[in-house]
Amino acid sequence: QVQLVQSGAEVKKPGASAKVSCKASGYIFTGYYVHWVRQAPGQGLEWMGWINPQSGGTKCAQKFQDSVTMTRDTSISTAYMELRRLRSDDTAVYFCARGSPTGGSYYGMHVWGQGTTVTVSS
Amino acid sequence: DIVMTQSPLSLSVTPGEPASISCRSSQRLLHSDGHTFLDWYLQKPGQSPQLLIYLVSNRASGVPDRFSGSGSGTDFTLKISRVEAEDVGVYYCMQGLQTRTFGQGTKLEIK
């Protein structure tokens, strides 16, 4: 079945970087956008950006443009989100989600990963 | 940036009774292709979000027909015709016209 499996929890010190992976299975990885969404403890959902796995093109929310890098490895159907210069307020659960088809019309985020907790603490 | 505003932020509903959540966008969400890019998601306690409704009124696969979405322009509504215990969680609207923005969330509890 279609699923996204994310990497395990991470604990990082302020100023470090964290890289979360999202492995897709059950569908053609390059056929759909992958979005990244985060949720701080007790807070709502915050969209971070998307990557087009086919072209490698990305789009970030303005807030994350200088601190987030999204990449993919099509050979292993995996998307990555790296967050640099971590601060305590980056402590959150990070989700990946499958979005619209890369060559088709708008579709929403139909499939979500299980989430990866990143804790930033000195 | 498009701002999404939900109301109410919480509601408590008796099982079997209806529920309604409103979502307002700061700009019209109508795309040039004629579709309106507005989704609804439910995050059940301890789970990842799940898509309920996309393009205002299209139910995602497996979503019960007691869930329905409506609206146009800048005003949208999610309705649950008869709330069940499994519907508890936080409901979010999200615009997809310009990047993505979520509403603040509406917490639904069972009385």
Side-chain angles (χ1 to χ4, degrees), chain A residues 30-33 35 52-54 98-108 110:
Chain A
T30 53
Y32 296 82
Y33 286 84
H35 294 262
N52 178 334
Q54 186 172 50
R98 192 186 82 167
S100 303
T102 51
S105 28
Y106 184 81
Y107 200 59
H110 272 65

Side-chain angles (χ1 to χ4, degrees), chain B residues 21-90:
Chain B
I21 300 171
S22 175
C23 176
R24 178 165 291 179
S25 57
S26 60
Q27 301 176 33
R28 287 166 58 89
L29 302 181
L30 179 64
H31 190 267
S32 57
D33 70 0
H35 290 107
T36 297
F37 289 5
L38 186 282
D39 305 332
W40 290 96
Y41 296 84
L42 165 60
Q43 188 175 30
K44 295 183 179 182
Q47 295 186 18
S48 301
Q50 61 186 88
L51 178 67
L52 294 176
I53 303 283
Y54 63 99
L55 294 174
V56 178
S57 60
N58 294 273
R59 273 190 304 276
S61 176
V63 175
D65 61 8
R66 64 178 182 275
F67 290 92
S68 64
S70 63
S72 63
T74 61
D75 289 293
F76 306 94
T77 302
L78 176 71
K79 291 184 179 177
I80 310 173
S81 58
R82 295 174 304 280
V83 170
E84 297 187 5
E86 65 180 24
D87 300 336
V88 296
V90 182

